[in-house]
Amino acid sequence: MVVRQQDKKEELDNIAQQINKCNQCRLYRQALRAVPGSGDPDAKIIFIGEGPGYHEDQQGLPFVGAAGKLLDRLLQMIDLARDAVWIGNVVKHRPPENREPLPEEIEACQPFLNEQIKIIDPEIIVTLGRFSLEKFLPGEKISRIHGQARYVEFAGKKRIIIPMYHPAAALRNGLIMEQIKKDFKKIPQFLSGREDTPQLEEINEPEEKQMKLF
C-alpha cells in the first residue's frame, strides 16, 4: 500500500510532538528546544548527524549553523535542494557545551529516529560522523570507510548506507573538506534507476535496530 505524503507528514508531526515532550534522558533539562528533524517526508535520501548545536537549539531545526551552511553547499554541489531531503540527528536535544552524546542518551532517542526512518522509507541514508555511523555499521571507523556505500537491512528493507565525515569536522580540517566533497559527488549514482549503480556489500541489520517507538 502506498502511503500518501500528507499521511507521512502527519505521522512525523506526531513523533515531533512526542520528542518535544520527551524527558527520557537528561538532555531536555538544559536544552531550549528539541530538534526532531526536518525535510521532505517522502525523501529518497536522508542525512543523520550527531546532535543539535547552539543554533539548532535556538531554532529547533537541524543543521542551521556553520556546519549546516556547509551541508547546504554540498547539497547544491550535487543539485539537491535541502527541501528535497530529510535531515535529523541521533539525539534530539543539544548536549551541554556540544559534548558527545552519552550511550544512554542515544538509546533514549533511538526509537524516535527508527520510527522516523520507517515512515520516510528512504533509499539512501547518509551518516554524518561516527555516532550515526555506529548506529548502522557498528564497529566501523569513519576514517576507513567514508564514502563507501553498504546495503543494510533496516525496517524490513535493504537500504544504502553511505558513511561520511561530519561537516563540522570538514570545517576544521582542509583534508577532510576535500574528502567530504569527493564523497558527496558519489551520492547521485546510488539513486534508483541508474545503470551504473555499483554492487554493494550486504550487511545484516543489528538486533538493536528492531526497537519499537515507546
Side-chain angles (χ1 to χ4, degrees), residues 16 19-20 31-36 52 56-57 59-61 92-93:
I19 291 170
N20 288 331
L32 181 64
R33 290 184 174 87
V35 185
E56 291 75 20
D57 183 55
Q59 299 184 39
L61 295 171
K92 306 298 190 179
H93 288 92

Side-chain angles (χ1 to χ4, degrees), residues 47-53 56 62-71 74 87-90 98 101 126-133 142-143 146 162-173 176-177 179-181 183-184:
F47 295 80
I48 303 176
E50 176 179 316
E56 291 75 20
F63 282 86
V64 291
K69 290 180 173 60
L70 174 56
L71 178 59
L74 292 168
I87 303 172
N89 283 299
V90 170
N98 291 349
V126 178
T127 64
L128 300 173
R130 64 185 179 92
F131 287 95
S132 52
L133 169 63
I142 194 165
S143 59
H146 67 88
I162 309 178
M164 296 196 187
Y165 285 105
H166 196 286
L171 292 172
R172 298 190 297 266
N173 186 305
I176 291 178
M177 178 70 79
Q179 290 173 332
I180 198 171
K181 288 179 181 179
D183 291 344
F184 255 75

Side-chain angles (χ1 to χ4, degrees), residues 8-19 21 112 213:
K8 288 185 174 184
K9 182 180 185 306
E10 291 175 0
E11 291 184 57
L12 290 172
D13 287 346
N14 179 58
I15 293 174
Q17 291 175 16
Q18 295 180 53
I19 291 170
K21 297 183 292 185
F112 292 128
L213 183 65

